[in-house]
Amino acid sequence: MEFTTVSSSDSAKIDAATDAPHAVADHAYGQDLNHLHKPGASYDHEHDHFDDDGPLEENPLWIADHVSLISVGIDIGSSGTQVIFSRVNLRRMGEDMSSRYFVTSRETLFESPVALTPYQSETRIDESALGDIIDGAYHASGLKPEDIDTGAVILTGEALRRENAEAISAILAEKGGDFVCATAGHHMEAMLAAYGSGAAGVSSDTGRRVLNIDIGGGTTKLGVIENGRVVSTAAFHVGGRLMVVDAAGRLTRLDPAGQHLAHMAGFHWHLGDTVTRGDLACVAEWMAGAVIRAVRDRAPAPEIAGLFLTDALATTGPIDSVMFSGGVAEYVYGREDRDFGDMGRLFGTAIRRHLDSGALPWTLLPARACIRATALGASEYSIQLSGNTISISNPGALLPRRNLQVLAPPFDFAGDIDPAAFAAAAAAHFTAFDLVEGAQDVAIALRWRGLPEYGRVAALAQAVIAAIPNTIAAGRPIYLILDGDLAQTLGAVLREDFRLGNDILVIDGVVLWDFDYVDLGRIRLPSGTVPVTVKSLVFGQDGGAKPDAPYHDHDHHHHHDHGHTHDHGHTHGHAPHDEG
């Protein structure tokens, strides 16, 4: 085995012999820790090197604590597309002995107009025209893809159709660089709306049980929030842009769902028909009534139940208040009066008339500022370092790993651990995020509480095994991330006591939440830690100009509530991004 050891005075020199393959196991006895790897060589770890010379601002420890990022957020929905660039400054709270980064300031560098998502046909999005919109935003901002440190893309509504998603992903890879691409399904989109609208924040602050109704261009998303936490979600097929007319009243767009809604209101429309303003108003009135009935009635009538894209909203207690979000909400709250040739204005004002007449028995909460889409999909990054008691069966196969979605099933590990109860909670969580257990790799985040007694750790291991049967059967790797100091013990119990043959990575000392994605870097020596870059879906609270077209399938902002104060930083240029 040959690799070059490096002194502090010669740390930049890489000997030709460093391309010899070697692994973490070669350092098990502490030999030759301080060396560098030749680019392209086979290795499964990294090293920390620190120099004492130079100004404070150039010291790697100082740089690691102070981070400035350029972030892009791209939101592509059924109706609207928007690109937003931001600069985010972060600092690690080292005095609190914390490895978490917190946003100290944020500024919007450029916000594109909300453009109508371009279509080739009734359901096929024009990816070439979409690419032109993204190109135009980059050009207008003066930024290039290589200038961007972080980014996120959110696809919703029609953009989620298979042919659309594949074509859009290809164009984004070409135009925008390497982003997290979170294809939000109906349940996840409803959750994003509930957090982004401010409803979750109001619920957390006041203890109210709030229903958030997010009405976009294609669908309506419902979310019930209790003490700041979304407890139930649903979606149905009513939106503001399912039918569009030109100046002469001719139907230039009529989605199948729009045709069905018109039929329910007593009209048999086809694409190209000419319709009157009065007829449109009648359809809008029926749609508004459908929204009211869908959220008010515990057992919706068949014609309303048939509109649901998910199971009907499961409610287990009384609603205190209601809040609206999404493009149509601009009309509900009287913030927009322009007409874009669709149902938006008629639909939104009809809903407001129903509300003013007492159609819903709950208090209408005022919309928070910037409830329209401003920074949807903008992401902020964090780098955390795992505890040094990691358990990893195969470093070369499991690390590095990029864009791993995090699931944090709500479960109390403080008392006796019931494996079946945790498995049920995990299954519900997979469904809530529109994921199929075993179909893709995920990182399961666990909140450990209590003593690490063998019986409790074994019960935790059983709970994990019960929660991911398809993952285990398929031979997929298992990624577990804990906040408590338990990784080595849990990993050993899973492999040795339960004879689990899958590759297993268990790291601890890291706090993760739903909506996070993580990059896992190679093991670092001599500390024996793993860099964990956390990519969180964060929704801006700063305002923006009125959009050119108000309909997004969701227009959200993020309110930091019930512990979701995860504004993150990322030491760009260091592990793990350069390790992939």
Side-chain angles (χ1 to χ4, degrees):
M1 165 114 12
E2 294 181 85
F3 43 82
T4 300
T5 57
V6 184
S7 67
S8 60
S9 61
D10 197 23
S11 60
K13 186 180 295 183
I14 305 177
D15 190 272
T18 60
D19 59 353
H22 69 284
V24 170
D26 295 312
H27 300 304
Y29 298 101
Q31 296 181 348
D32 298 312
L33 283 175
N34 196 27
H35 66 274
L36 298 179
H37 305 126
K38 185 175 182 178
S42 176
Y43 59 97
D44 61 6
H45 57 281
E46 290 286 359
H47 299 272
D48 293 305
H49 304 283
F50 301 105
D51 295 321
D52 296 329
D53 300 330
L56 175 65
E57 290 77 10
E58 296 178 9
N59 184 289
L61 292 175
W62 190 94
I63 293 171
D65 282 352
H66 296 78
V67 183
S68 181
L69 307 173
I70 304 297
S71 174
V72 62
I74 302 177
D75 173 22
I76 303 169
S78 293
S79 303
T81 293
Q82 185 180 22
V83 183
I84 298 165
F85 298 92
S86 304
R87 176 180 284 113
V88 183
N89 299 308
L90 308 100
R91 183 167 68 88
R92 189 173 69 88
M93 299 304 183
E95 65 270 22
D96 296 331
M97 300 299 290
S98 170
S99 61
R100 303 288 287 181
Y101 285 78
F102 295 86
V103 173
T104 57
S105 63
R106 184 218 305 261
E107 60 178 306
T108 298
L109 300 178
F110 178 79
E111 180 178 285
S112 78
V114 179
L116 291 176
T117 300
Y119 283 81
Q120 287 179 339
S121 65
E122 285 190 27
T123 58
R124 169 82 186 199
I125 289 175
D126 187 337
E127 65 269 19
S128 177
L130 189 64
D132 291 340
I133 292 173
I134 296 170
D135 271 347
Y138 273 88
H139 179 75
S141 71
L143 294 167
K144 307 181 192 64
E146 56 266 29
D147 298 327
I148 306 303
D149 296 314
T150 78
V153 181
I154 308 298
L155 306 180
T156 58
E158 292 295 338
L160 278 175
R161 287 180 181 266
R162 181 178 298 277
E163 62 174 346
N164 284 332
E166 290 174 354
I168 291 168
S169 295
I171 206 74
L172 289 172
E174 174 189 345
K175 303 288 186 183
D178 187 14
F179 302 132
V180 177
C181 195
T183 55
H186 299 305
H187 290 293
M188 188 173 178
E189 192 180 348
M191 283 194 283
L192 294 173
Y195 289 122
S197 68
V202 170
S203 173
S204 179
D205 294 342
T206 65
R208 293 178 180 176
R209 207 160 187 272
V210 180
L211 170 63
N212 190 72
I213 304 174
D214 183 88
I215 310 176
T219 57
T220 295
K221 281 72 60 179
L222 308 176
V224 176
I225 310 102
E226 189 175 88
N227 295 319
R229 181 168 169 263
V230 179
V231 296
S232 180
T233 55
F236 57 94
H237 218 158
V238 176
R241 203 170 171 82
L242 294 171
M243 54 197 82
V244 179
V245 297
D246 60 17
R250 187 172 62 90
L251 285 165
T252 58
R253 174 177 173 179
L254 183 62
D255 289 14
Q259 190 174 39
H260 174 71
L261 294 173
H263 179 75
M264 297 301 292
F267 299 92
H268 301 279
W269 290 346
H270 298 87
L271 191 66
D273 288 353
T274 299
V275 299
T276 68
R277 187 72 177 176
D279 292 346
L280 289 170
C282 287
V283 175
E285 186 68 24
W286 191 92
M287 291 166 58
V291 170
I292 297 298
R293 293 162 67 191
V295 301
R296 183 190 61 198
D297 300 340
R298 293 297 177 96
E303 67 269 20
I304 302 300
L307 297 174
F308 275 86
L309 296 163
T310 63
D311 290 339
L313 191 66
T315 55
T316 57
I319 301 297
D320 300 317
S321 306
V322 62
M323 181 182 286
F324 284 80
S325 61
V328 173
E330 299 292 338
Y331 298 102
V332 174
Y333 290 111
R335 295 187 167 200
E336 178 63 80
D337 58 8
R338 290 176 292 174
D339 192 321
F340 296 91
D342 49 34
M343 299 296 289
R345 186 166 72 171
L346 290 171
F347 183 23
T349 53
I351 290 174
R352 186 57 192 243
R353 285 196 302 273
H354 280 269
L355 296 175
D356 290 343
S357 67
L360 291 179
W362 314 306
T363 303
L364 175 64
L365 295 175
R368 294 202 171 189
C370 317
I371 201 163
R372 292 170 284 112
T374 54
L376 178 73
S379 61
E380 296 170 2
Y381 286 54
S382 169
I383 190 162
Q384 298 186 61
L385 210 56
S386 74
N388 58 11
T389 59
I390 61 175
S391 175
I392 180 168
S393 61
N394 188 344
L398 292 172
L399 297 174
R401 181 61 197 262
R402 295 177 59 111
N403 293 342
L404 196 61
Q405 184 167 354
V406 174
L407 284 184
F411 194 79
D412 184 5
F413 288 104
D416 293 336
I417 299 171
D418 182 347
F422 176 75
H429 221 55
F430 272 98
T431 300
F433 281 82
D434 297 286
L435 297 175
V436 176
E437 189 272 311
Q440 65 284 302
D441 295 341
V442 298
I444 297 180
L446 304 171
R447 303 274 189 275
W448 177 256
R449 298 291 179 267
L451 297 174
E453 299 167 341
Y454 175 79
R456 301 187 74 243
V457 176
L460 175 60
Q462 285 181 300
V464 169
I465 291 170
I468 53 172
N470 298 328
T471 298
I472 293 172
R476 285 186 174 276
I478 298 169
Y479 294 90
L480 303 174
I481 302 180
L482 299 94
D483 57 351
D485 186 9
L486 196 71
Q488 211 164 55
T489 304
L490 178 59
V493 169
L494 284 167
R495 285 198 304 271
E496 297 169 16
D497 294 3
F498 289 91
R499 304 295 181 185
L500 209 56
N502 305 60
D503 278 333
I504 304 171
L505 169 66
V506 191
I507 62 178
D508 56 24
V510 175
V511 179
L512 294 175
W513 303 94
D514 290 324
F515 304 117
D516 285 345
Y517 286 73
V518 292
D519 287 351
L520 304 175
R522 292 188 178 95
I523 294 176
R524 301 199 71 85
L525 297 174
S527 62
T529 56
V530 172
V532 181
T533 302
V534 183
K535 308 174 182 182
S536 300
L537 302 180
V538 175
F539 313 96
Q541 293 174 262
D542 50 338
K546 279 183 179 291
D548 288 348
Y551 307 122
H552 263 34
D553 238 22
H554 51 273
D555 308 75
H556 315 308
H557 306 267
H558 183 69
H559 182 273
H560 299 302
D561 58 284
H562 65 283
H564 278 253
T565 54
H566 53 295
D567 296 324
H568 301 313
H570 163 51
T571 52
H572 192 74
H574 303 289
H577 273 279
D578 292 345
E579 300 175 344

